[in-house]
Every structure is written in structure tokens, then in C-alpha cells.
Coordinates of all heavy atoms in Angstrom, one line a residue:
M3 N 14.3 -145.3 -22.3 CA 15.7 -145.1 -22.5 C 16.5 -145.9 -21.4 O 16.6 -145.4 -20.3 CB 16.0 -143.6 -22.3 CG 17.5 -143.3 -22.5 SD 17.9 -141.5 -22.8 CE 16.6 -140.6 -21.9
A4 N 16.9 -147.1 -21.7 CA 17.6 -147.9 -20.8 C 19.1 -147.7 -20.9 O 19.7 -148.2 -21.9 CB 17.2 -149.4 -20.9
M5 N 19.7 -147.0 -20.0 CA 21.1 -146.7 -20.0 C 21.8 -147.3 -18.8 O 21.2 -147.3 -17.7 CB 21.4 -145.2 -20.0 CG 21.2 -144.6 -21.4 SD 22.6 -144.7 -22.5 CE 23.9 -143.9 -21.5
T6 N 23.0 -147.8 -18.9 CA 23.7 -148.2 -17.7 C 24.9 -147.3 -17.5 O 25.5 -146.7 -18.4 CB 24.2 -149.7 -17.8 OG1 24.9 -149.8 -19.0 CG2 23.0 -150.7 -17.9
C7 N 25.3 -147.2 -16.2 CA 26.4 -146.3 -15.8 C 27.7 -146.8 -16.4 O 28.1 -148.0 -16.3 CB 26.5 -146.3 -14.3 SG 27.8 -145.3 -13.7
P8 N 28.5 -145.9 -17.1 CA 29.8 -146.3 -17.6 C 30.8 -146.6 -16.5 O 31.8 -147.3 -16.8 CB 30.2 -145.1 -18.5 CG 29.4 -144.0 -17.9 CD 28.1 -144.5 -17.4
D9 N 30.6 -146.1 -15.3 CA 31.5 -146.4 -14.2 C 31.2 -147.7 -13.5 O 32.1 -148.5 -13.3 CB 31.5 -145.2 -13.2 CG 32.4 -144.1 -13.7 OD1 32.8 -144.1 -14.8 OD2 32.6 -143.1 -12.8
C10 N 30.0 -147.9 -13.1 CA 29.7 -149.1 -12.2 C 28.7 -150.0 -12.9 O 28.4 -151.1 -12.3 CB 29.2 -148.6 -10.9 SG 27.5 -147.9 -10.8
G11 N 28.1 -149.7 -14.0 CA 27.2 -150.6 -14.7 C 25.8 -150.7 -14.2 O 25.0 -151.5 -14.6
S12 N 25.5 -149.8 -13.2 CA 24.1 -149.9 -12.6 C 23.2 -149.1 -13.5 O 23.6 -148.4 -14.4 CB 24.1 -149.3 -11.2 OG 24.9 -150.1 -10.4
A13 N 21.9 -149.2 -13.2 CA 20.9 -148.5 -14.0 C 21.0 -146.9 -13.8 O 21.3 -146.5 -12.7 CB 19.5 -148.9 -13.6
M14 N 20.7 -146.2 -14.8 CA 20.6 -144.7 -14.7 C 19.2 -144.3 -14.9 O 18.5 -144.8 -15.7 CB 21.6 -144.1 -15.8 CG 23.0 -144.5 -15.6 SD 24.2 -143.6 -16.6 CE 24.4 -142.1 -15.5
E15 N 18.8 -143.2 -14.2 CA 17.5 -142.7 -14.4 C 17.5 -141.3 -15.0 O 18.5 -140.6 -14.8 CB 16.7 -142.7 -13.1 CG 17.2 -141.8 -12.0 CD 16.3 -141.9 -10.8 OE1 15.2 -142.5 -10.8 OE2 16.7 -141.3 -9.7
A16 N 16.5 -141.0 -15.8 CA 16.5 -139.8 -16.6 C 16.0 -138.6 -15.7 O 15.2 -138.8 -14.8 CB 15.6 -139.9 -17.8
G17 N 16.6 -137.5 -16.0 CA 16.2 -136.2 -15.3 C 16.7 -135.0 -16.0 O 17.0 -135.1 -17.2
F18 N 16.7 -133.9 -15.4 CA 17.3 -132.7 -16.0 C 17.9 -131.8 -15.0 O 17.7 -132.0 -13.8 CB 16.2 -132.0 -16.8 CG 15.0 -131.6 -16.0 CD1 14.9 -130.3 -15.4 CD2 13.9 -132.5 -15.9 CE1 13.8 -130.0 -14.7 CE2 12.8 -132.1 -15.1 CZ 12.7 -130.8 -14.5
V19 N 18.6 -130.7 -15.4 CA 19.2 -129.8 -14.5 C 18.4 -128.5 -14.5 O 18.1 -128.0 -15.5 CB 20.6 -129.5 -15.0 CG1 21.3 -128.5 -14.0 CG2 21.4 -130.8 -15.1
V20 N 18.0 -128.0 -13.3 CA 17.2 -126.8 -13.2 C 18.1 -125.6 -13.0 O 19.1 -125.7 -12.2 CB 16.3 -126.9 -12.0 CG1 15.6 -125.6 -11.7 CG2 15.2 -128.0 -12.3
D21 N 17.8 -124.5 -13.7 CA 18.5 -123.2 -13.5 C 17.5 -122.3 -12.8 O 16.4 -122.0 -13.4 CB 18.9 -122.7 -14.8 CG 19.3 -121.2 -14.8 OD1 19.7 -120.8 -13.7 OD2 19.3 -120.6 -15.8
H22 N 17.7 -121.9 -11.6 CA 16.8 -121.0 -10.9 C 17.0 -119.6 -11.2 O 16.2 -118.7 -11.0 CB 16.9 -121.2 -9.3 CG 16.4 -122.5 -8.9 ND1 15.0 -122.7 -8.7 CD2 17.0 -123.7 -8.6 CE1 14.8 -124.0 -8.4 NE2 16.0 -124.6 -8.3
G23 N 18.2 -119.2 -11.7 CA 18.5 -117.8 -12.0 C 18.2 -117.0 -10.8 O 18.5 -117.4 -9.7
E24 N 17.7 -115.8 -11.1 CA 17.4 -114.9 -9.9 C 15.9 -114.8 -9.7 O 15.5 -114.1 -8.8 CB 18.0 -113.5 -10.2 CG 19.5 -113.4 -10.1 CD 20.1 -112.0 -10.3 OE1 19.3 -111.1 -10.2 OE2 21.3 -111.9 -10.4
S25 N 15.2 -115.5 -10.5 CA 13.7 -115.4 -10.3 C 13.3 -116.7 -9.6 O 14.0 -117.6 -9.4 CB 13.0 -115.3 -11.6 OG 13.1 -116.5 -12.4
E26 N 12.0 -116.7 -9.3 CA 11.5 -117.9 -8.6 C 10.9 -118.8 -9.7 O 10.2 -119.8 -9.3 CB 10.4 -117.5 -7.6 CG 10.9 -116.7 -6.4 CD 12.0 -117.6 -5.7 OE1 11.7 -118.7 -5.3 OE2 13.1 -117.0 -5.4
M27 N 11.1 -118.5 -10.9 CA 10.6 -119.4 -12.0 C 11.7 -120.3 -12.5 O 12.5 -119.8 -13.3 CB 10.0 -118.5 -13.1 CG 9.2 -119.3 -14.1 SD 8.4 -118.2 -15.4 CE 9.8 -117.7 -16.3
P28 N 11.7 -121.5 -12.1 CA 12.8 -122.4 -12.5 C 12.7 -122.8 -14.0 O 11.6 -122.8 -14.6 CB 12.6 -123.7 -11.7 CG 11.1 -123.6 -11.2 CD 10.7 -122.2 -11.2
R29 N 13.8 -122.9 -14.6 CA 13.9 -123.3 -16.0 C 14.9 -124.5 -16.2 O 15.7 -124.7 -15.3 CB 14.5 -122.1 -16.9 CG 13.5 -121.0 -17.0 CD 14.2 -119.8 -17.6 NE 15.3 -119.4 -16.8 CZ 16.1 -118.3 -17.1 NH1 15.8 -117.6 -18.2 NH2 17.1 -118.0 -16.3
V30 N 14.8 -125.2 -17.3 CA 15.7 -126.2 -17.6 C 17.0 -125.6 -18.0 O 17.0 -124.7 -18.9 CB 15.2 -127.1 -18.7 CG1 16.2 -128.2 -19.1 CG2 13.9 -127.8 -18.3
A31 N 18.1 -126.0 -17.4 CA 19.4 -125.4 -17.8 C 19.8 -125.8 -19.2 O 19.3 -126.8 -19.7 CB 20.5 -125.9 -16.8
S32 N 20.6 -125.0 -19.9 CA 20.9 -125.2 -21.3 C 22.4 -125.3 -21.6 O 23.2 -124.6 -20.9 CB 20.3 -124.1 -22.2 OG 18.9 -124.1 -22.1
W33 N 22.7 -126.0 -22.6 CA 24.1 -125.9 -23.1 C 24.1 -124.7 -24.0 O 23.2 -124.5 -24.8 CB 24.4 -127.2 -23.9 CG 25.6 -127.1 -24.7 CD1 26.9 -127.5 -24.3 CD2 25.8 -126.7 -26.1 NE1 27.8 -127.3 -25.3 CE2 27.1 -126.8 -26.4 CE3 24.9 -126.1 -27.0 CZ2 27.6 -126.4 -27.7 CZ3 25.4 -125.8 -28.3 CH2 26.7 -125.9 -28.6
V34 N 25.2 -123.9 -24.0 CA 25.4 -122.8 -24.8 C 26.7 -122.9 -25.5 O 27.7 -123.2 -24.9 CB 25.3 -121.5 -24.0 CG1 25.5 -120.2 -24.9 CG2 23.9 -121.4 -23.3
E35 N 26.8 -122.5 -26.8 CA 28.0 -122.7 -27.5 C 29.0 -121.6 -27.1 O 28.7 -120.5 -26.7 CB 27.8 -122.5 -29.0 CG 27.3 -121.1 -29.5 CD 27.2 -121.0 -31.0 OE1 27.9 -121.7 -31.7 OE2 26.3 -120.2 -31.4
G36 N 30.3 -121.9 -27.2 CA 31.4 -121.0 -26.9 C 31.7 -120.9 -25.5 O 31.2 -121.7 -24.6
A37 N 32.6 -119.9 -25.1 CA 33.0 -119.7 -23.8 C 32.1 -118.6 -23.1 O 31.6 -117.7 -23.8 CB 34.4 -119.2 -23.7
P38 N 31.9 -118.7 -21.8 CA 31.0 -117.7 -21.2 C 31.7 -116.3 -21.2 O 32.9 -116.2 -20.9 CB 30.8 -118.2 -19.7 CG 32.0 -119.1 -19.5 CD 32.3 -119.7 -20.9
E39 N 30.9 -115.3 -21.4 CA 31.4 -113.9 -21.5 C 30.4 -113.0 -20.6 O 29.2 -113.2 -20.8 CB 31.4 -113.3 -22.9 CG 32.6 -113.4 -23.7 CD 32.4 -112.7 -25.0 OE1 32.6 -111.5 -25.1 OE2 32.0 -113.4 -26.0
D40 N 31.0 -112.1 -19.8 CA 30.1 -111.3 -19.0 C 29.3 -110.3 -19.9 O 29.8 -109.8 -20.9 CB 30.9 -110.4 -18.1 CG 31.5 -111.2 -17.0 OD1 31.0 -112.2 -16.6 OD2 32.5 -110.7 -16.4
A41 N 28.0 -110.2 -19.6 CA 27.2 -109.2 -20.3 C 27.2 -108.0 -19.4 O 27.1 -108.1 -18.2 CB 25.8 -109.7 -20.5
K42 N 27.4 -106.8 -20.0 CA 27.5 -105.6 -19.2 C 26.5 -104.5 -19.7 O 26.2 -104.4 -20.9 CB 28.9 -105.0 -19.3 CG 29.9 -105.8 -18.5 CD 31.3 -105.2 -18.4 CE 32.2 -106.1 -17.6 NZ 33.6 -105.7 -17.7
F43 N 26.0 -103.8 -18.7 CA 25.0 -102.7 -19.0 C 25.5 -101.5 -18.2 O 25.5 -101.6 -17.0 CB 23.6 -103.1 -18.7 CG 22.6 -102.0 -19.1 CD1 22.3 -101.8 -20.4 CD2 22.0 -101.3 -18.1 CE1 21.4 -100.8 -20.7 CE2 21.1 -100.3 -18.4 CZ 20.8 -100.1 -19.7
L44 N 25.8 -100.4 -18.8 CA 26.4 -99.2 -18.2 C 27.5 -99.6 -17.2 O 27.6 -99.1 -16.1 CB 25.2 -98.5 -17.3 CG 24.0 -98.1 -18.1 CD1 23.0 -97.5 -17.2 CD2 24.5 -97.0 -19.2
G45 N 28.4 -100.5 -17.7 CA 29.6 -100.9 -17.0 C 29.4 -101.9 -15.9 O 30.3 -102.3 -15.2
M46 N 28.1 -102.3 -15.7 CA 27.8 -103.2 -14.6 C 27.5 -104.6 -15.2 O 26.9 -104.7 -16.2 CB 26.6 -102.8 -13.8 CG 26.9 -101.5 -13.0 SD 25.5 -101.0 -11.9 CE 24.7 -102.4 -11.5
K47 N 28.0 -105.6 -14.5 CA 27.7 -107.0 -14.9 C 26.3 -107.3 -14.8 O 25.7 -107.0 -13.7 CB 28.5 -108.0 -14.0 CG 29.9 -108.3 -14.5 CD 30.4 -109.5 -13.8 CE 31.9 -109.5 -13.6 NZ 32.4 -110.6 -12.8
V48 N 25.7 -107.8 -15.8 CA 24.3 -108.1 -15.8 C 24.1 -109.6 -16.3 O 23.2 -109.9 -17.0 CB 23.4 -107.2 -16.6 CG1 23.3 -105.8 -15.9 CG2 23.9 -107.0 -18.0
G49 N 24.9 -110.5 -15.8 CA 24.8 -111.9 -16.2 C 25.8 -112.2 -17.3 O 26.9 -111.6 -17.4
I50 N 25.5 -113.1 -18.2 CA 26.4 -113.6 -19.2 C 25.7 -113.4 -20.6 O 24.5 -113.5 -20.7 CB 26.8 -115.0 -19.0 CG1 25.7 -116.0 -18.8 CG2 27.9 -115.1 -17.9 CD1 26.0 -117.4 -18.8
K51 N 26.5 -113.2 -21.6 CA 26.0 -113.0 -23.0 C 25.4 -114.3 -23.5 O 26.1 -115.3 -23.5 CB 27.1 -112.5 -23.9 CG 27.6 -111.1 -23.7 CD 28.6 -110.7 -24.7 CE 29.1 -109.3 -24.4 NZ 30.2 -109.0 -25.3
L52 N 24.2 -114.2 -24.0 CA 23.6 -115.4 -24.6 C 23.1 -115.0 -26.0 O 22.8 -115.9 -26.8 CB 22.4 -115.8 -23.8 CG 22.7 -116.3 -22.4 CD1 21.4 -116.6 -21.7 CD2 23.5 -117.6 -22.5
K53 N 23.1 -113.7 -26.4 CA 22.5 -113.3 -27.7 C 23.3 -113.9 -28.8 O 24.5 -113.9 -28.9 CB 22.6 -111.8 -27.7 CG 21.6 -111.2 -28.6 CD 21.5 -109.7 -28.6 CE 20.5 -109.1 -29.5 NZ 20.4 -107.7 -29.5
G54 N 22.6 -114.5 -29.8 CA 23.2 -115.0 -31.0 C 23.8 -116.4 -30.8 O 24.4 -116.9 -31.7
R55 N 23.8 -116.9 -29.5 CA 24.4 -118.2 -29.3 C 23.4 -119.3 -29.4 O 22.2 -119.2 -29.2 CB 24.9 -118.3 -27.8 CG 25.9 -117.2 -27.5 CD 27.3 -117.6 -27.5 NE 28.2 -116.6 -27.0 CZ 29.1 -116.8 -26.0 NH1 29.2 -118.0 -25.4 NH2 29.9 -115.9 -25.6
R56 N 23.9 -120.5 -29.9 CA 23.0 -121.6 -29.9 C 22.8 -122.1 -28.5 O 23.7 -122.2 -27.7 CB 23.6 -122.7 -30.8 CG 23.4 -122.5 -32.3 CD 24.0 -123.7 -33.0 NE 25.4 -123.9 -32.7 CZ 26.0 -125.0 -32.6 NH1 25.3 -126.2 -32.8 NH2 27.3 -125.1 -32.4
K57 N 21.5 -122.5 -28.1 CA 21.2 -123.0 -26.8 C 20.4 -124.3 -27.0 O 19.5 -124.3 -27.7 CB 20.3 -121.9 -26.1 CG 21.0 -120.9 -25.4 CD 20.1 -119.8 -24.8 CE 18.8 -120.2 -24.3 NZ 18.0 -119.1 -23.7
I58 N 20.8 -125.3 -26.2 CA 20.1 -126.5 -26.2 C 19.8 -127.0 -24.8 O 20.8 -127.0 -24.0 CB 20.9 -127.6 -27.0 CG1 21.3 -127.1 -28.4 CG2 20.1 -128.9 -27.0 CD1 22.2 -128.1 -29.1
P59 N 18.6 -127.3 -24.4 CA 18.3 -127.7 -23.1 C 19.1 -129.0 -22.7 O 19.3 -129.9 -23.6 CB 16.8 -128.0 -23.1 CG 16.3 -127.3 -24.3 CD 17.4 -127.2 -25.3
I60 N 19.5 -129.1 -21.5 CA 20.3 -130.2 -21.0 C 19.5 -131.3 -20.3 O 18.7 -131.0 -19.4 CB 21.4 -129.7 -20.0 CG1 22.3 -128.7 -20.7 CG2 22.1 -130.9 -19.4 CD1 23.3 -128.1 -19.7
G61 N 19.6 -132.5 -20.8 CA 19.0 -133.6 -20.1 C 20.1 -134.3 -19.2 O 21.3 -134.1 -19.5
A62 N 19.8 -134.9 -18.2 CA 20.8 -135.5 -17.3 C 20.3 -136.9 -16.8 O 19.2 -137.1 -16.4 CB 21.0 -134.7 -16.0
L63 N 21.2 -137.9 -17.0 CA 21.0 -139.2 -16.5 C 21.8 -139.4 -15.2 O 22.9 -138.9 -15.1 CB 21.5 -140.3 -17.5 CG 20.7 -140.3 -18.8 CD1 21.4 -141.3 -19.7 CD2 19.3 -140.8 -18.6
R64 N 21.2 -139.9 -14.2 CA 21.8 -140.1 -12.8 C 21.9 -141.6 -12.5 O 21.0 -142.3 -12.6 CB 21.0 -139.4 -11.8 CG 21.6 -139.5 -10.4 CD 20.6 -139.0 -9.3 NE 19.5 -140.0 -9.1 CZ 19.5 -141.0 -8.2 NH1 20.6 -141.2 -7.5 NH2 18.5 -141.8 -8.1
C65 N 23.1 -142.0 -12.2 CA 23.3 -143.4 -11.8 C 22.7 -143.6 -10.4 O 22.9 -142.9 -9.5 CB 24.8 -143.7 -11.7 SG 25.1 -145.4 -11.1
T66 N 21.9 -144.7 -10.3 CA 21.1 -144.9 -9.1 C 22.1 -145.5 -8.0 O 21.7 -145.6 -6.8 CB 20.0 -145.9 -9.3 OG1 20.5 -147.1 -9.9 CG2 18.9 -145.3 -10.2
R67 N 23.3 -145.9 -8.4 CA 24.2 -146.5 -7.4 C 25.3 -145.5 -7.0 O 25.5 -145.2 -5.8 CB 24.8 -147.8 -7.9 CG 25.6 -148.5 -6.9 CD 26.0 -149.9 -7.5 NE 27.0 -150.5 -6.7 CZ 27.9 -151.4 -7.2 NH1 27.9 -151.8 -8.4 NH2 28.8 -151.9 -6.4
C68 N 26.1 -145.0 -7.9 CA 27.3 -144.2 -7.6 C 27.0 -142.7 -7.8 O 27.8 -141.9 -7.4 CB 28.5 -144.6 -8.4 SG 28.5 -144.1 -10.1
G69 N 25.9 -142.3 -8.4 CA 25.5 -140.9 -8.5 C 26.1 -140.2 -9.7 O 25.9 -139.0 -9.8
L70 N 26.9 -140.9 -10.5 CA 27.4 -140.3 -11.7 C 26.3 -139.6 -12.5 O 25.3 -140.2 -12.7 CB 28.1 -141.3 -12.6 CG 28.8 -140.8 -13.8 CD1 30.2 -140.2 -13.5 CD2 28.9 -141.8 -14.9
L71 N 26.6 -138.4 -12.9 CA 25.7 -137.7 -13.8 C 26.2 -137.7 -15.2 O 27.4 -137.4 -15.5 CB 25.5 -136.2 -13.4 CG 24.8 -136.0 -12.0 CD1 24.7 -134.5 -11.7 CD2 23.4 -136.7 -12.0
K72 N 25.4 -138.0 -16.2 CA 25.8 -137.9 -17.6 C 24.9 -136.9 -18.2 O 23.6 -137.1 -18.3 CB 25.6 -139.3 -18.2 CG 26.2 -139.5 -19.5 CD 26.0 -141.0 -19.9 CE 26.2 -141.2 -21.4 NZ 27.4 -141.6 -21.8
L73 N 25.5 -135.8 -18.7 CA 24.7 -134.7 -19.2 C 24.7 -134.9 -20.8 O 25.7 -135.3 -21.4 CB 25.3 -133.4 -18.9 CG 25.4 -133.1 -17.4 CD1 26.1 -131.7 -17.2 CD2 24.0 -133.1 -16.7
Y74 N 23.6 -134.5 -21.4 CA 23.5 -134.5 -22.8 C 22.6 -133.4 -23.3 O 21.6 -133.0 -22.6 CB 23.0 -135.9 -23.3 CG 21.7 -136.3 -22.8 CD1 20.5 -136.1 -23.6 CD2 21.5 -136.9 -21.6 CE1 19.3 -136.4 -23.1 CE2 20.2 -137.2 -21.1 CZ 19.1 -137.0 -21.9 OH 17.9 -137.3 -21.4
A75 N 22.9 -132.9 -24.5 CA 22.0 -131.9 -25.1 C 20.8 -132.6 -25.7 O 21.0 -133.5 -26.5 CB 22.8 -131.1 -26.2
M76 N 19.6 -132.1 -25.3 CA 18.4 -132.8 -25.8 C 18.2 -132.5 -27.2 O 18.4 -131.3 -27.6 CB 17.2 -132.4 -24.9 CG 17.3 -132.9 -23.5 SD 15.7 -132.7 -22.7 CE 16.0 -131.3 -21.7
N77 N 17.7 -133.4 -28.0 CA 17.4 -133.2 -29.4 C 16.2 -132.3 -29.5 O 15.2 -132.4 -28.8 CB 17.1 -134.5 -30.1 CG 18.3 -135.3 -30.3 OD1 19.4 -134.8 -30.4 ND2 18.1 -136.6 -30.3
Q78 N 16.3 -131.3 -30.3 CA 15.2 -130.4 -30.5 C 14.5 -130.8 -31.8 O 15.1 -130.8 -32.9 CB 15.6 -128.9 -30.6 CG 16.1 -128.4 -29.2 CD 16.6 -127.0 -29.3 OE1 17.4 -126.7 -30.1 NE2 16.1 -126.2 -28.4
T79 N 13.2 -131.1 -31.7 CA 12.5 -131.5 -32.9 C 11.5 -130.5 -33.3 O 11.1 -129.7 -32.5 CB 11.8 -132.9 -32.7 OG1 11.1 -132.8 -31.5 CG2 12.8 -134.0 -32.6
Ligands
ZN30 ZN1 27.4 -145.7 -11.4

């Protein structure tokens, strides 16, 4: 995947965004449809609602010169 930075024209390298959550098990962060809504259990906030939402892992390209990040939803095959 040879991409160049839309800002400075330098090479971009492929990577991804990690979501550490509250556990020590890192995961790839995902794009989720809609606006974020608090999930509640017994009146307490327990994160955000994800049930029934489409989720797609996020890939990230990083410009090796200016640091611009270009995020994209990875194709699921
Ligand atoms: Zn750049």
C-alpha cells in the first residue's frame, strides 16, 4: 500500500490504533456507527453503548515527515 501524505507529499506508513480499555489486553480500536451514548447499569455509567451497532476496526496511516494520521475503516472480508 504505497500512499503519500495529502499535506506534505511524503511517504506514509501503515499501522493501527490500539484501544487499551480498562484491561491489560490491548485491542484494535474500531469505528462505530452513530453518536456515542453512555451505557448505564443500575444508574451507573459502565462505558458506552455498542450493542447493535456496526463496528469496523480502524487502520491508520502515519506520515513519516509531518506525522499526519489518516484513519480508515478496514475492509472486512
Ligand atoms: Zn505529511
Side-chain angles (χ1 to χ4, degrees):
M3 180 166 32
M5 282 277 298
T6 54
C7 175
D9 278 10
C10 73
S12 296
M14 299 191 85
E15 64 178 354
F18 58 91
V19 182
V20 172
D21 169 20
H22 288 282
E24 288 185 13
S25 71
E26 292 302 309
M27 192 175 71
R29 290 173 298 185
V30 177
S32 296
W33 170 92
V34 178
E35 68 177 331
E39 262 184 89
D40 288 338
K42 291 188 178 168
F43 182 74
L44 300 177
M46 291 181 33
K47 273 196 209 174
V48 290
I50 52 174
K51 285 184 184 171
L52 295 176
K53 208 173 180 180
R55 306 256 188 130
R56 280 183 300 144
K57 275 174 34 177
I58 304 175
I60 297 171
L63 295 173
R64 182 188 73 88
C65 175
T66 54
R67 185 173 169 206
C68 76
L70 179 85
L71 294 179
K72 194 175 158 99
L73 301 178
Y74 60 96
M76 291 193 262
N77 289 331
Q78 288 179 312
T79 50

